Structure formats: C-alpha cells, structure tokens
Amino acid sequence: MSYDKELYQQVILDHNKKPRNFREMEDATHSCHGYNPLCGDDYTVYLKISPDNIIEDASFMGSGCAISKSSSSMMTAFLKGKTTEEAKVAFEEFHRMVTGDMDPEKEDHHLGKLKLFVGVREFSSRVKCASLSWHSMVGALEKNEKVTTE
Ligand code: ZN
C-alpha cells in the first residue's frame, strides 16, 4: 500500500475535530507537560500504568495545532493496553519515521495506523508538532515533569 495523502488529511481533520481521550486523568500514575515553542503546541499527557507495566489508560489535555492534536489523539488510543516497553519501541519507530530515518512501507514496524504521520517528514517544522506528545509520553515514563522540543 502506498502513502495516501487524502487519507492522511481526513484522519488529521477527524482527530482534530473529535480528539480521542481528550481529558485530564484524576488517577494518572504518570504525567508530563510538553511544549513546542515553534508552534505553541502545549499539552499534558496522562498515563495510568499497572504494577506489571501495562498502560491501562492514556489521555491528554491542552491546545495546539491540528497535527499535534490529532497525533496526541491517535497516540493515546494506540497506547492503551500496550506495555511500557512496547510504548518505548513505538516512540523510537515513530520518531525515526517522522524524521525520515524509517520508511514504514519498507521496514517492519508496530505503528499500525500511526504510519499515516509519515506525511510530516516533508515538512520539517511539523515534525515537532507530530512528535511532541510522544516525547511527553516518554517523559512521563521517566518521571519528568515537562519536556520541550527545543
Ligand atoms: Zn503544531
């Protein structure tokens, strides 16, 4: 399957209009605030992780552009039920994909629908929008209070 620009745009618009898991989480075990000064994207990512390292719930809250919001929305949906180890692997893959190091059509990966974000590699300023909440997720796992893309 080749890269589908129309599908990418539809998915971005849909998740921007109706973001999934867009709420604060009272009983989060981990959270991290992320800020992208280049665009103004500003979100907190919340995770609820079980004692055996399963991500039972993931959510986010804040404001920013369509790409950052839709990426956060899809990431939180993706993370539910994954182990923290799987989440870190997905972060590495996502990051390599949006920075152009990994072609999701040619290499094995675990990203599923998230591979749509390969589209941002054409626009370097958008890479930080798409990856901000991923950095926040890893920051939360590492017990950091905040991350910035600079
Ligand atoms: Zn942005």
Side-chain angles (χ1 to χ4, degrees):
M1 197 175 85
S2 66
Y3 171 60
D4 187 335
K5 198 165 194 174
E6 207 169 298
L7 181 62
Y8 166 72
Q9 287 169 341
Q10 276 174 13
V11 170
I12 300 272
L13 288 175
D14 176 55
H15 279 265
N16 183 48
K17 207 158 69 175
K18 293 180 292 181
R20 319 312 195 253
N21 311 304
F22 191 57
R23 55 185 158 80
E24 288 181 40
M25 195 190 298
E26 297 288 330
D27 57 346
T29 57
H30 296 64
S31 66
C32 182
H33 179 241
Y35 180 57
N36 172 14
L38 281 180
C39 182
D41 309 317
D42 191 325
Y43 299 99
T44 299
V45 169
Y46 302 90
L47 302 172
K48 185 178 172 188
I49 300 174
S50 73
D52 52 350
N53 292 322
I54 309 283
I55 299 172
E56 293 181 331
D57 199 6
S59 70
F60 74 109
M61 196 61 185
S63 61
C65 68
I67 295 198
S68 63
K69 187 174 278 182
S70 58
S71 180
S72 305
S73 171
M74 288 182 73
M75 179 191 78
T76 51
F78 173 87
L79 290 174
K80 288 190 201 183
K82 299 280 192 300
T83 66
T84 54
E85 219 35 61
E86 288 168 333
K88 286 180 198 166
V89 168
F91 166 78
E92 293 296 334
E93 291 177 346
F94 188 87
H95 195 255
R96 285 176 56 225
M97 176 179 76
V98 296
T99 53
D101 274 351
M102 193 265 281
D103 183 341
E105 303 301 338
K106 293 193 178 132
E107 287 182 51
D108 288 337
H109 61 81
H110 307 82
L111 296 174
K113 286 184 290 184
L114 297 170
K115 74 175 181 185
L116 281 173
F117 283 94
V118 71
V120 303
R121 69 184 170 185
E122 317 277 327
F123 309 95
S124 59
S125 63
R126 291 309 201 176
V127 170
K128 288 178 176 169
C129 301
S131 54
L132 176 64
S133 282
W134 285 90
H135 285 284
S136 303
M137 181 273 288
V138 171
L141 293 179
E142 293 172 352
K143 295 279 185 188
N144 294 321
E145 275 178 28
K146 59 183 179 183
V147 294
T148 63
T149 55
E150 290 305 277

